[in-house]
Amino acid sequence: MISTILFDLDGVIINSNPQIIDAWTKVASNYNITLTESDIKNDILGVTGNHTLNKIFSHLDKKTQKEVHEQVDLIEETANYDLVPGFKDFYNSLLKTNLRLGVVTSSWRRKLLNVFEQHSLTGFFCVVTREDVSASKPAPEPYTKAINFWNESPTNVLIFEDSNNGIQSALSAGANCIAINNKTQGIHYTDDFRYIKVNRDIITTPDKSYTIISK
């Protein structure tokens, strides 16, 4: 029984990998750093900015690291983003139900609001960003904070995540989780939202159905 749905942002609502890679690559070049494929895979995508700074920019002093982070943020928060295939139709279907919708992201509020404005996403009434927590994903705090916002039981919450850290955070918070384009974690999976349907009080995925709690 599901009353609440929470979404990650990057890789779940928006396809942001190209913009993230572009931002870090451009800023790294300003400091004579050439990013490798390994850097991008392991220390840029699906991790926090602080992780990237500690792994790739650790030779810089803290003041310079802060400047790097600010430059990357500025590029990302003003970029244009495409939605993940099928997301807008799924989102519009959810708006016709009694479900409560929220976003829990390791990104920051300015970037999130830019995405909301670009794609007219006005139905999210709970937003948790990196500014709102002391421990980022994979810690459970980001999702626990959103769940507690509605004073809801985690078992009544369905979360859509794509990164290993995000999936671990969702499961550690005690919620249900569907992986988007990530088969590595052994949980329910779908390529994107084109394969998820909402029919009255049932959400149907390729391998499982969830009943919506009536209110």
Side-chain angles (χ1 to χ4, degrees), residues 41-75:
K41 178 181 178 182
N42 298 317
D43 296 319
I44 290 178
L45 297 178
V47 299
T48 64
N50 286 332
H51 172 99
T52 304
L53 292 171
N54 291 333
K55 289 292 186 177
I56 299 175
F57 299 85
S58 59
H59 61 289
L60 301 178
D61 59 61
K62 293 300 181 182
K63 179 176 181 294
T64 306
Q65 286 188 14
K66 184 174 183 292
E67 292 171 354
V68 168
H69 208 174
E70 289 172 348
Q71 292 173 55
V72 170
D73 282 0
L74 182 60
I75 296 172

Short mmCIF file of all heavy atoms in Angstrom, two decimals, residues 41-75:
data_model
loop_
_atom_site.label_atom_id
_atom_site.label_comp_id
_atom_site.label_asym_id
_atom_site.label_seq_id
_atom_site.Cartn_x
_atom_site.Cartn_y
_atom_site.Cartn_z
N LYS A 41 33.30 7.91 -14.01
CA LYS A 41 32.47 6.79 -13.58
C LYS A 41 32.43 6.64 -12.07
O LYS A 41 31.37 6.42 -11.47
CB LYS A 41 32.98 5.49 -14.21
CG LYS A 41 32.21 4.25 -13.78
CD LYS A 41 32.78 2.99 -14.41
CE LYS A 41 32.03 1.75 -13.95
NZ LYS A 41 32.61 0.50 -14.53
N ASN A 42 33.59 6.78 -11.43
CA ASN A 42 33.70 6.46 -10.01
C ASN A 42 33.60 7.65 -9.07
O ASN A 42 33.17 7.51 -7.92
CB ASN A 42 35.03 5.74 -9.74
CG ASN A 42 35.15 4.42 -10.47
OD1 ASN A 42 34.21 3.64 -10.51
ND2 ASN A 42 36.30 4.17 -11.07
N ASP A 43 33.97 8.85 -9.57
CA ASP A 43 34.11 9.98 -8.64
C ASP A 43 33.35 11.23 -9.08
O ASP A 43 33.54 12.29 -8.47
CB ASP A 43 35.59 10.31 -8.46
CG ASP A 43 36.35 9.17 -7.80
OD1 ASP A 43 35.79 8.57 -6.87
OD2 ASP A 43 37.47 8.87 -8.24
N ILE A 44 32.51 11.13 -10.11
CA ILE A 44 31.70 12.28 -10.52
C ILE A 44 30.21 11.92 -10.61
O ILE A 44 29.38 12.55 -9.98
CB ILE A 44 32.20 12.86 -11.86
CG1 ILE A 44 33.57 13.53 -11.64
CG2 ILE A 44 31.20 13.85 -12.44
CD1 ILE A 44 34.19 14.11 -12.88
N LEU A 45 29.89 10.88 -11.36
CA LEU A 45 28.48 10.51 -11.53
C LEU A 45 27.99 9.70 -10.34
O LEU A 45 28.64 8.75 -9.89
CB LEU A 45 28.30 9.71 -12.82
CG LEU A 45 28.64 10.45 -14.11
CD1 LEU A 45 28.46 9.52 -15.31
CD2 LEU A 45 27.79 11.71 -14.28
N GLY A 46 26.83 10.09 -9.80
CA GLY A 46 26.20 9.33 -8.73
C GLY A 46 26.80 9.54 -7.36
O GLY A 46 26.48 8.81 -6.42
N VAL A 47 27.66 10.57 -7.22
CA VAL A 47 28.26 10.88 -5.92
C VAL A 47 28.07 12.36 -5.63
O VAL A 47 27.66 13.13 -6.49
CB VAL A 47 29.76 10.52 -5.89
CG1 VAL A 47 29.96 9.03 -6.12
CG2 VAL A 47 30.54 11.34 -6.93
N THR A 48 28.37 12.77 -4.42
CA THR A 48 28.22 14.18 -4.05
C THR A 48 29.40 15.00 -4.58
O THR A 48 30.48 14.47 -4.88
CB THR A 48 28.17 14.35 -2.53
OG1 THR A 48 29.43 13.94 -1.97
CG2 THR A 48 27.04 13.52 -1.93
N GLY A 49 29.19 16.31 -4.67
CA GLY A 49 30.26 17.19 -5.08
C GLY A 49 31.45 17.14 -4.14
O GLY A 49 32.61 17.21 -4.56
N ASN A 50 31.18 17.00 -2.84
CA ASN A 50 32.26 16.91 -1.87
C ASN A 50 33.12 15.67 -2.09
O ASN A 50 34.34 15.70 -1.92
CB ASN A 50 31.71 16.92 -0.44
CG ASN A 50 31.23 18.29 -0.03
OD1 ASN A 50 31.72 19.31 -0.53
ND2 ASN A 50 30.27 18.35 0.88
N HIS A 51 32.48 14.57 -2.49
CA HIS A 51 33.24 13.36 -2.82
C HIS A 51 34.19 13.65 -3.98
O HIS A 51 35.37 13.27 -3.93
CB HIS A 51 32.28 12.23 -3.19
CG HIS A 51 32.97 11.00 -3.72
ND1 HIS A 51 33.23 9.89 -2.94
CD2 HIS A 51 33.45 10.70 -4.96
CE1 HIS A 51 33.84 8.98 -3.66
NE2 HIS A 51 34.00 9.44 -4.89
N THR A 52 33.67 14.30 -5.02
CA THR A 52 34.50 14.62 -6.19
C THR A 52 35.68 15.51 -5.81
O THR A 52 36.81 15.29 -6.24
CB THR A 52 33.65 15.31 -7.27
OG1 THR A 52 32.53 14.48 -7.60
CG2 THR A 52 34.47 15.56 -8.53
N LEU A 53 35.41 16.51 -5.00
CA LEU A 53 36.48 17.41 -4.57
C LEU A 53 37.56 16.66 -3.79
O LEU A 53 38.76 16.88 -3.99
CB LEU A 53 35.90 18.53 -3.72
CG LEU A 53 35.01 19.54 -4.45
CD1 LEU A 53 34.33 20.46 -3.45
CD2 LEU A 53 35.79 20.34 -5.47
N ASN A 54 37.13 15.77 -2.91
CA ASN A 54 38.09 15.03 -2.08
C ASN A 54 38.91 14.03 -2.89
O ASN A 54 40.06 13.74 -2.54
CB ASN A 54 37.35 14.30 -0.96
CG ASN A 54 36.78 15.25 0.08
OD1 ASN A 54 37.30 16.34 0.28
ND2 ASN A 54 35.71 14.84 0.73
N LYS A 55 38.34 13.52 -3.97
CA LYS A 55 39.02 12.51 -4.76
C LYS A 55 39.89 13.11 -5.87
O LYS A 55 40.99 12.63 -6.14
CB LYS A 55 37.99 11.55 -5.38
CG LYS A 55 37.32 10.62 -4.39
CD LYS A 55 38.31 9.61 -3.83
CE LYS A 55 37.61 8.59 -2.95
NZ LYS A 55 38.56 7.55 -2.44
N ILE A 56 39.38 14.14 -6.54
CA ILE A 56 40.06 14.65 -7.74
C ILE A 56 40.77 15.97 -7.50
O ILE A 56 41.79 16.26 -8.12
CB ILE A 56 39.04 14.79 -8.90
CG1 ILE A 56 38.43 13.41 -9.23
CG2 ILE A 56 39.69 15.39 -10.14
CD1 ILE A 56 37.33 13.46 -10.26
N PHE A 57 40.26 16.75 -6.56
CA PHE A 57 40.82 18.08 -6.31
C PHE A 57 41.46 18.17 -4.92
O PHE A 57 41.59 19.24 -4.36
CB PHE A 57 39.72 19.15 -6.44
CG PHE A 57 39.09 19.20 -7.80
CD1 PHE A 57 38.05 18.35 -8.14
CD2 PHE A 57 39.55 20.10 -8.76
CE1 PHE A 57 37.47 18.40 -9.40
CE2 PHE A 57 38.97 20.17 -10.02
CZ PHE A 57 37.93 19.31 -10.34
N SER A 58 41.87 17.03 -4.38
CA SER A 58 42.37 17.00 -3.00
C SER A 58 43.67 17.77 -2.82
O SER A 58 44.01 18.18 -1.70
CB SER A 58 42.57 15.55 -2.55
OG SER A 58 43.50 14.89 -3.40
N HIS A 59 44.40 17.99 -3.91
CA HIS A 59 45.67 18.73 -3.81
C HIS A 59 45.45 20.23 -3.69
O HIS A 59 46.40 20.98 -3.40
CB HIS A 59 46.54 18.44 -5.04
CG HIS A 59 45.91 18.87 -6.34
ND1 HIS A 59 44.82 18.21 -6.88
CD2 HIS A 59 46.21 19.89 -7.19
CE1 HIS A 59 44.49 18.79 -8.01
NE2 HIS A 59 45.31 19.81 -8.22
N LEU A 60 44.23 20.69 -3.91
CA LEU A 60 43.92 22.11 -3.79
C LEU A 60 43.53 22.45 -2.36
O LEU A 60 42.96 21.61 -1.65
CB LEU A 60 42.78 22.48 -4.75
CG LEU A 60 43.02 22.20 -6.24
CD1 LEU A 60 41.77 22.57 -7.03
CD2 LEU A 60 44.23 22.96 -6.76
N ASP A 61 43.79 23.67 -1.93
CA ASP A 61 43.39 24.07 -0.59
C ASP A 61 41.87 24.23 -0.53
O ASP A 61 41.19 24.29 -1.56
CB ASP A 61 44.09 25.36 -0.17
CG ASP A 61 43.81 26.53 -1.09
OD1 ASP A 61 42.63 26.93 -1.22
OD2 ASP A 61 44.75 27.05 -1.71
N LYS A 62 41.36 24.31 0.67
CA LYS A 62 39.91 24.32 0.87
C LYS A 62 39.24 25.53 0.20
O LYS A 62 38.14 25.42 -0.33
CB LYS A 62 39.57 24.28 2.37
CG LYS A 62 39.95 22.99 3.05
CD LYS A 62 39.21 21.80 2.44
CE LYS A 62 39.55 20.50 3.14
NZ LYS A 62 38.88 19.33 2.51
N LYS A 63 39.90 26.66 0.23
CA LYS A 63 39.34 27.86 -0.39
C LYS A 63 39.19 27.65 -1.90
O LYS A 63 38.16 28.00 -2.50
CB LYS A 63 40.23 29.07 -0.11
CG LYS A 63 39.75 30.37 -0.74
CD LYS A 63 40.65 31.53 -0.34
CE LYS A 63 40.16 32.85 -0.94
NZ LYS A 63 40.28 32.85 -2.42
N THR A 64 40.21 27.07 -2.52
CA THR A 64 40.16 26.82 -3.96
C THR A 64 39.14 25.74 -4.29
O THR A 64 38.42 25.82 -5.30
CB THR A 64 41.55 26.42 -4.48
OG1 THR A 64 42.50 27.41 -4.09
CG2 THR A 64 41.54 26.32 -6.00
N GLN A 65 39.04 24.71 -3.45
CA GLN A 65 38.02 23.68 -3.66
C GLN A 65 36.63 24.29 -3.63
O GLN A 65 35.76 23.91 -4.43
CB GLN A 65 38.15 22.59 -2.60
CG GLN A 65 39.32 21.66 -2.78
CD GLN A 65 39.29 20.49 -1.82
OE1 GLN A 65 38.28 20.22 -1.17
NE2 GLN A 65 40.40 19.78 -1.70
N LYS A 66 36.41 25.22 -2.72
CA LYS A 66 35.11 25.89 -2.63
C LYS A 66 34.82 26.66 -3.92
O LYS A 66 33.69 26.64 -4.43
CB LYS A 66 35.09 26.83 -1.43
CG LYS A 66 33.76 27.53 -1.18
CD LYS A 66 33.81 28.32 0.13
CE LYS A 66 32.47 28.96 0.46
NZ LYS A 66 32.12 30.03 -0.48
N GLU A 67 35.84 27.30 -4.48
CA GLU A 67 35.67 28.03 -5.73
C GLU A 67 35.35 27.08 -6.88
O GLU A 67 34.51 27.38 -7.73
CB GLU A 67 36.95 28.82 -6.04
CG GLU A 67 37.21 29.96 -5.07
CD GLU A 67 38.59 30.59 -5.26
OE1 GLU A 67 39.38 30.05 -6.07
OE2 GLU A 67 38.87 31.61 -4.60
N VAL A 68 36.02 25.92 -6.90
CA VAL A 68 35.73 24.89 -7.91
C VAL A 68 34.26 24.48 -7.83
O VAL A 68 33.55 24.43 -8.85
CB VAL A 68 36.65 23.66 -7.72
CG1 VAL A 68 36.15 22.49 -8.56
CG2 VAL A 68 38.09 24.01 -8.08
N HIS A 69 33.81 24.19 -6.62
CA HIS A 69 32.43 23.74 -6.42
C HIS A 69 31.44 24.80 -6.89
O HIS A 69 30.43 24.49 -7.54
CB HIS A 69 32.21 23.41 -4.95
CG HIS A 69 31.17 22.37 -4.72
ND1 HIS A 69 30.89 21.83 -3.49
CD2 HIS A 69 30.31 21.75 -5.57
CE1 HIS A 69 29.93 20.94 -3.59
NE2 HIS A 69 29.56 20.88 -4.84
N GLU A 70 31.71 26.04 -6.58
CA GLU A 70 30.82 27.13 -6.97
C GLU A 70 30.75 27.27 -8.49
O GLU A 70 29.68 27.54 -9.06
CB GLU A 70 31.28 28.44 -6.33
CG GLU A 70 31.05 28.49 -4.82
CD GLU A 70 31.68 29.71 -4.17
OE1 GLU A 70 32.49 30.39 -4.84
OE2 GLU A 70 31.38 29.98 -3.00
N GLN A 71 31.88 27.11 -9.17
CA GLN A 71 31.91 27.21 -10.63
C GLN A 71 31.11 26.07 -11.27
O GLN A 71 30.35 26.29 -12.23
CB GLN A 71 33.35 27.17 -11.13
CG GLN A 71 34.17 28.39 -10.76
CD GLN A 71 35.64 28.22 -11.13
OE1 GLN A 71 35.97 27.94 -12.28
NE2 GLN A 71 36.52 28.38 -10.15
N VAL A 72 31.28 24.87 -10.74
CA VAL A 72 30.52 23.72 -11.26
C VAL A 72 29.03 23.92 -11.03
O VAL A 72 28.21 23.70 -11.93
CB VAL A 72 31.00 22.41 -10.59
CG1 VAL A 72 30.06 21.25 -10.94
CG2 VAL A 72 32.43 22.09 -11.03
N ASP A 73 28.66 24.35 -9.83
CA ASP A 73 27.25 24.57 -9.51
C ASP A 73 26.63 25.58 -10.47
O ASP A 73 25.49 25.39 -10.93
CB ASP A 73 27.10 25.08 -8.07
CG ASP A 73 27.23 23.97 -7.04
OD1 ASP A 73 27.42 22.81 -7.44
OD2 ASP A 73 27.12 24.27 -5.84
N LEU A 74 27.34 26.66 -10.77
CA LEU A 74 26.80 27.69 -11.63
C LEU A 74 26.50 27.16 -13.02
O LEU A 74 25.47 27.48 -13.61
CB LEU A 74 27.78 28.87 -11.72
CG LEU A 74 27.31 30.07 -12.57
CD1 LEU A 74 26.02 30.65 -12.00
CD2 LEU A 74 28.40 31.12 -12.65
N ILE A 75 27.38 26.32 -13.54
CA ILE A 75 27.14 25.73 -14.87
C ILE A 75 25.92 24.81 -14.82
O ILE A 75 25.04 24.87 -15.69
CB ILE A 75 28.38 24.95 -15.35
CG1 ILE A 75 29.56 25.91 -15.55
CG2 ILE A 75 28.07 24.19 -16.64
CD1 ILE A 75 30.88 25.20 -15.85
#
